[in-house]
Amino acid sequence: MQAWLLTVADHLRRSLSEGAVPPPGAPRTRGEWQARFPELGQLLGGWFSQDFGEEFEEHEEAPRDYLDTSDRTVAARLPGELHELLALGLAEED
């Protein structure tokens, strides 16, 4: 583990010193999506899940319930995540 961490540290050090960073873009893996858009994932996965119809009668109820039951400082991140997602300009299939 220590050797791997030292390798990662060397890569990070070189990247920072050379300014070599990957271009901005859409996340590629499920983990990258979750890390980049945690609150959006929480809203969609927790409030717009398969059980949506059993829990809510109308779509407007889900975000209202999310805002009513989530910590305000955490929920405040959601608009920024939505703007960031829309700024990616993804195609419909993406």
Side-chain angles (χ1 to χ4, degrees), residues 39-53 55-56 58-66 78:
E39 280 312 298
L40 183 57
Q42 183 70 19
L43 172 66
L44 296 176
W47 277 262
F48 288 98
S49 65
Q50 291 178 334
D51 299 331
F52 171 81
E55 296 182 39
F56 305 105
E58 297 180 11
H59 286 88
E60 293 80 13
E61 292 177 33
R64 192 174 318 122
D65 185 66
Y66 166 82
L78 184 60

Side-chain angles (χ1 to χ4, degrees), residues 1-41:
M1 179 62 90
Q2 183 179 8
W4 180 81
L5 289 172
L6 289 171
T7 300
V8 170
D10 287 340
H11 287 302
L12 289 171
R13 197 174 303 114
R14 188 175 335 109
S15 177
L16 291 171
S17 67
E18 297 172 4
V21 296
R28 294 185 184 139
T29 66
R30 181 180 178 95
E32 289 175 355
W33 281 99
Q34 290 174 336
R36 189 157 170 192
F37 302 105
E39 280 312 298
L40 183 57

Side-chain angles (χ1 to χ4, degrees), residues 39 66-79:
E39 280 312 298
Y66 166 82
L67 292 172
D68 289 345
T69 59
S70 298
D71 182 271
R72 291 196 182 282
T73 58
V74 175
R77 298 177 189 151
L78 184 60

